[in-house]
Amino acid sequence: MRDIAEKLSISSVTVSKALNDKEGVSDELKEKIKSVAEEMGYRFNTLAKSMKEGYSYNIGVIIPERFTGTTQSFYLQFYQYISQVLDSRQYSGILHILSEEDETSVRLPRIYNERKADGFIILGQINNDYAAAIYDMDVPVIFLDFYNDQNNIDSVLTDNFYGVYEATNYLIKSGHRKIAFVGNIYATSSIQDRYLGYYKSLLEHRIRLEESYVISDRDERGRFIDIDLPADLPTAFICNCDQVAYNLINLLKKKGINVPEDCSVMGFDNDIYATLTEPQLTTVAVDMEEMSRVAVKFILEKVRDKDKKYGRTFIKGNIIYRESVRDLNN
Amino acid sequence: MRDIAEKLSISSVTVSKALNDKEGVSDELKEKIKSVAEEMGYRFNTLAKSMKEGYSYNIGVIIPERFTGTTQSFYLQFYQYISQVLDSRQYSGILHILSEEDETSVRLPRIYNERKADGFIILGQINNDYAAAIYDMDVPVIFLDFYNDQNNIDSVLTDNFYGVYEATNYLIKSGHRKIAFVGNIYATSSIQDRYLGYYKSLLEHRIRLEESYVISDRDERGRFIDIDLPADLPTAFICNCDQVAYNLINLLKKKGINVPEDCSVMGFDNDIYATLTEPQLTTVAVDMEEMSRVAVKFILEKVRDKDKKYGRTFIKGNIIYRESVRDLNN
DNA sequence: CTGAAAGCGCTTACAG
DNA sequence: CTGAAAGCGCTTACAG
């Protein structure tokens, strides 16, 4: 900046104003400054601005390691959207993958300790101790895709309840009345909410909830278990996630039950498993784009105004219609 | 820092020295300063240090968008290793996912324009124009997992050649002599190198290269095509990547050919497709950890010394033994 | 419309 | 062992 100023024998203040399109510089001079800057290959130094203003223009995005395995590109895709939205707001995203170890021992990331970010988006359930530590940070935080009732940090969530509610409605509209839900309803709050959406739809349609139609898919520690098919096979299954739908379809196939001819299956998430099944899965897609937009909007507003509160915000997903559901009306 | 200094009625210079474990402060005072800093919840402001030193202590990692789809968590996992290694060197990684649009129109990322990173690791093949623009940047760059002969940017690469060479050796040692290679050998240089490793192994074992045993898997634009099985079925296929192995196994199954009983299949990459096949795939795992370590080492050395050159560095992968290869010796 | 002065929070080189 | 001074590259508030 000083070099530019010297070259044109003006002050760096004027250069700063011109480059930032601020008032107080003649259009003519402004143009000249801009072209000289271009010519000299000038690259703005955000650091200096940051230091002056006290903003880093970075948002940290923290994803627990266990959500980033080989089979889990879901959250990483999410990050992509977040980073795009941040970019459009003149911000950069700093992705931090939180190792199991750091999470257990509650070691906050370098980007926090060194003030490299103005705020944080936590993407994916973290343990309570870590959540508490984050709550104590003197930096704005948003939880994305999960919440935690220990402390009231603002959260942006998939509307699990209404997502499965609508999915179940769709099955019923397609003529199904014997519908099972697959998922351990005690395992996570999101499975529980999905289950309740299923239940609400049944209630509204005066369909009795059959105990044998609520089928566990994992143990309390989250490990998948073999799925027990009920003796009286339903005409449709609604699974709490695509991976389980994938497993279920393979199981049905092995037993000689064709999907969707003999039995329909729906998933939730629209992740990689949704297109790996044969037939491909009709499922509920999380609206990552909208969720990212909202999360970024919230966090940036919180950066400017520490006292903003949003509570829990639910974003509805969309049903993606593919091949795994049969319409019984025809 | 000033607050701490005031509280102890000393100067901020002394505080700085104490916190950085530099010489010139008595141990006693150093301890006191540290505990007061802790107490006051002091967080270091890297920005100021950065500005003074001219280093941001960030490394940008750029991944082209097309490598980050639902089915492609490979590079994102890679980023995880990179970010871990960076962390151990007091650096942070800034992940930038390069959109198709920005790549085509050669729009350099904000983190470059705003000097938010001291250097860049480009993870995954980018087009020539973009590579040229990067070459012109006045910032150190390393290509990871690909190279580009238009310009001689230092690259850290999987040893495709020796990886498939060893995989083919393994098949031969398992009694196979009729071995086919699956991959369009004109599509990318990495497929080509893998093919040549296969060929070298055949040569060394005096096995004739059958033209009909080199089978294309994709068109020139990289889109997968149907695989044409040769009339005379080989006893083993070596595929240029796991996804193609996945497709091949499904094709073989459809034709009633059992893997590995009737026919063995090997992959390359050890990505999600390797564990999605039934049986699971014996494949060559890219050594992401070592590659990340080397790439970070190189980039950080280049940051301190712009003139360092490394050329192309090849890192060997490891064979992961699973269920898709049959030992014909028994 | 233009610019001199002060300051953001740190570190380095030097003086005491 | 301790500290006063200068400077990193920008911006803001004010004066001319």
Side-chain angles (χ1 to χ4, degrees):
Chain A
M1 210 171 244
R2 208 169 46 183
D3 295 345
I4 300 174
E6 263 171 30
K7 184 150 186 179
L8 274 67
S9 334
I10 52 175
S11 85
S12 65
V13 178
T14 308
V15 176
S16 168
K17 281 176 186 158
L19 260 24
N20 286 300
D21 275 324
K22 296 235 162 127
E23 295 195 335
V25 194
S26 64
D27 286 352
E28 194 184 350
L29 183 55
K30 198 183 275 186
E31 282 315 309
K32 195 188 284 178
I33 289 171
K34 281 187 179 173
S35 69
V36 170
E38 180 96 358
E39 205 173 282
M40 296 175 67
Y42 170 75
R43 285 189 300 141
F44 187 79
N45 188 331
T46 327
L47 253 38
K49 182 185 183 189
S50 297
M51 189 155 86
K52 184 73 170 66
E53 297 185 353
Y55 297 121
S56 67
Y57 292 93
N58 293 135
I59 294 294
V61 179
I62 298 180
I63 307 180
E65 183 179 35
R66 65 179 164 285
F67 298 126
T68 60
T70 328
T71 51
Q72 308 251 21
S73 64
F74 184 72
Y75 277 142
L76 270 353
Q77 257 195 287
F78 226 132
Y79 175 76
Q80 224 169 124
Y81 285 107
I82 296 171
S83 121
Q84 268 166 28
V85 180
L86 283 171
D87 202 68
S88 71
R89 306 287 231 91
Q90 319 302 314
Y91 260 76
S92 300
I94 300 194
L95 174 60
H96 178 80
I97 301 191
L98 179 63
S99 70
E100 297 276 1
E101 202 190 320
D102 288 353
E103 185 178 354
T104 311
S105 57
V106 190
R107 216 173 66 99
L108 265 6
R110 151 168 295 115
I111 39 175
Y112 170 71
N113 289 319
E114 299 186 351
R115 293 174 186 260
K116 282 188 175 180
D118 299 337
F120 289 87
I121 295 175
I122 316 294
L123 184 47
Q125 190 98 44
I126 48 172
N127 74 38
N128 283 338
D129 290 349
Y130 207 92
I134 280 176
Y135 185 67
D136 288 338
M137 300 192 319
D138 52 343
V139 173
V141 176
I142 292 267
F143 285 165
L144 183 52
D145 203 38
F146 78 103
Y147 69 89
N148 177 301
D149 18 51
Q150 311 290 308
N151 34 244
N152 54 339
I153 293 183
D154 300 325
S155 312
V156 176
L157 302 156
T158 301
D159 198 334
N160 290 306
F161 183 79
Y162 275 100
V164 174
Y165 167 73
E166 291 192 346
T168 312
N169 284 349
Y170 164 66
L171 287 173
I172 293 171
K173 212 190 307 162
S174 301
H176 296 274
R177 298 192 65 84
K178 293 168 70 176
I179 302 170
F181 177 87
V182 185
N184 180 342
I185 61 176
Y186 304 106
T188 72
S189 64
S190 94
I191 296 181
Q192 208 161 72
D193 293 347
R194 289 173 192 189
Y195 163 71
L196 290 172
Y198 153 82
Y199 185 36
K200 177 184 169 67
S201 171
L202 295 189
L203 285 175
E204 282 193 1
H205 292 86
R206 304 270 182 260
I207 298 175
R208 211 179 104 76
L209 176 71
E210 296 289 342
E211 214 174 307
S212 65
Y213 278 4
V214 180
I215 303 162
S216 184
D217 65 332
R218 64 191 74 189
D219 62 25
E220 304 277 311
R221 300 187 47 230
R223 304 165 92 94
F224 286 127
I225 58 175
D226 287 342
I227 293 169
D228 260 335
L229 293 182
D232 180 21
L233 201 71
T235 63
F237 288 91
I238 185 144
C239 300
N240 78 88
C241 69
D242 289 341
Q243 189 172 0
V244 164
Y246 175 87
N247 292 341
L248 176 66
I249 287 181
N250 285 341
L251 175 68
L252 290 171
K253 272 188 192 163
K254 250 180 208 156
K255 307 227 168 192
I257 302 164
N258 295 317
V259 179
E261 292 77 6
D262 305 335
C263 188
S264 298
V265 174
M266 274 191 81
F268 199 103
D269 285 342
N270 193 34
D271 64 22
I272 182 170
Y273 288 99
T275 52
L276 245 33
T277 55
E278 167 74 26
Q280 296 198 345
L281 215 53
T282 293
T283 187
V284 181
V286 167
D287 193 341
M288 294 194 213
E289 212 171 328
E290 178 63 14
M291 286 175 78
S292 302
R293 203 155 30 221
V294 171
V296 167
K297 181 165 168 279
F298 286 179
I299 195 74
L300 293 187
E301 279 170 15
K302 281 167 76 104
V303 165
R304 306 295 141 164
D305 176 1
K306 303 259 178 211
D307 298 327
K308 283 243 173 170
K309 286 279 172 203
Y310 296 96
R312 294 214 274 270
T313 304
F314 294 94
I315 309 288
K316 232 183 55 187
N318 308 304
I319 298 181
I320 307 292
Y321 300 94
R322 283 194 279 246
E323 318 296 331
S324 67
V325 172
R326 178 172 161 205
D327 187 346
L328 298 182
N329 298 317
N330 305 324
Chain B
M1 212 170 242
R2 209 171 44 188
D3 295 345
I4 300 175
E6 263 172 29
K7 184 149 186 178
L8 272 65
S9 331
I10 52 174
S11 85
S12 64
V13 177
T14 307
V15 176
S16 168
K17 281 175 186 158
L19 261 24
N20 287 299
D21 274 324
K22 296 235 162 126
E23 296 191 336
V25 194
S26 62
D27 285 352
E28 192 187 349
L29 184 54
K30 199 184 275 186
E31 282 316 309
K32 195 187 285 176
I33 290 171
K34 280 187 179 172
S35 70
V36 172
E38 180 96 358
E39 203 173 284
M40 295 175 69
Y42 170 74
R43 286 189 299 141
F44 188 79
N45 188 330
T46 329
L47 255 36
K49 181 185 184 189
S50 297
M51 189 156 86
K52 183 72 168 71
E53 296 186 355
Y55 296 121
S56 68
Y57 292 93
N58 292 135
I59 294 293
V61 178
I62 299 180
I63 306 180
E65 181 180 35
R66 65 178 162 288
F67 297 126
T68 60
T70 328
T71 53
Q72 308 251 19
S73 65
F74 184 72
Y75 278 142
L76 269 354
Q77 258 196 286
F78 227 133
Y79 174 77
Q80 224 170 123
Y81 285 107
I82 296 171
S83 120
Q84 268 166 27
V85 181
L86 283 171
D87 202 68
S88 71
R89 306 289 233 91
Q90 319 301 316
Y91 260 75
S92 300
I94 301 193
L95 174 59
H96 178 81
I97 300 190
L98 179 64
S99 71
E100 296 277 359
E101 201 189 322
D102 288 353
E103 185 178 354
T104 311
S105 57
V106 189
R107 216 173 66 98
L108 266 7
R110 151 168 296 114
I111 39 176
Y112 170 72
N113 289 320
E114 297 185 353
R115 293 174 185 260
K116 281 189 176 180
D118 299 338
F120 289 87
I121 295 175
I122 316 293
L123 184 49
Q125 191 98 43
I126 48 171
N127 74 36
N128 283 337
D129 290 349
Y130 207 93
I134 280 175
Y135 185 66
D136 288 338
M137 299 192 322
D138 51 343
V139 172
V141 177
I142 291 266
F143 285 165
L144 183 53
D145 204 38
F146 79 103
Y147 69 89
N148 178 301
D149 17 53
Q150 312 288 307
N151 35 244
N152 53 339
I153 293 183
D154 300 325
S155 312
V156 175
L157 302 156
T158 301
D159 198 335
N160 290 306
F161 182 80
Y162 276 100
V164 173
Y165 167 74
E166 291 191 346
T168 312
N169 284 349
Y170 166 65
L171 287 174
I172 293 172
K173 211 188 311 163
S174 302
H176 296 274
R177 298 192 64 85
K178 293 168 70 175
I179 302 169
F181 178 86
V182 185
N184 179 343
I185 62 176
Y186 304 106
T188 72
S189 63
S190 95
I191 296 181
Q192 209 162 71
D193 294 346
R194 289 172 192 191
Y195 164 70
L196 290 173
Y198 154 82
Y199 185 36
K200 177 184 170 66
S201 171
L202 295 189
L203 284 176
E204 281 193 1
H205 292 86
R206 304 270 183 261
I207 298 174
R208 213 178 102 75
L209 176 72
E210 296 289 342
E211 213 173 307
S212 64
Y213 279 4
V214 180
I215 303 161
S216 184
D217 66 332
R218 65 190 74 187
D219 61 24
E220 304 276 311
R221 298 187 49 230
R223 302 164 92 94
F224 286 127
I225 58 175
D226 287 341
I227 294 170
D228 262 336
L229 293 182
D232 180 20
L233 200 71
T235 64
F237 288 92
I238 185 144
C239 300
N240 80 87
C241 70
D242 289 341
Q243 190 173 0
V244 164
Y246 175 86
N247 292 340
L248 176 66
I249 286 180
N250 286 340
L251 176 67
L252 289 171
K253 273 188 193 162
K254 249 181 207 153
K255 305 226 168 191
I257 301 165
N258 294 318
V259 178
E261 293 78 5
D262 306 334
C263 187
S264 297
V265 174
M266 274 191 81
F268 199 102
D269 284 343
N270 193 35
D271 64 21
I272 182 171
Y273 288 99
T275 50
L276 246 32
T277 56
E278 167 75 25
Q280 296 198 347
L281 215 52
T282 293
T283 187
V284 180
V286 167
D287 192 341
M288 293 193 213
E289 210 170 330
E290 178 64 13
M291 288 175 77
S292 302
R293 200 152 33 217
V294 171
V296 167
K297 181 164 169 279
F298 285 1
I299 196 72
L300 293 187
E301 280 171 13
K302 282 168 76 106
V303 165
R304 306 295 142 166
D305 176 1
K306 303 258 179 214
D307 297 326
K308 284 244 173 167
K309 285 280 171 202
Y310 297 95
R312 293 214 274 270
T313 304
F314 294 93
I315 310 288
K316 233 182 55 186
N318 308 306
I319 298 181
I320 306 291
Y321 300 94
R322 282 194 279 246
E323 318 296 332
S324 67
V325 172
R326 178 174 160 202
D327 187 346
L328 298 182
N329 297 317
N330 306 324

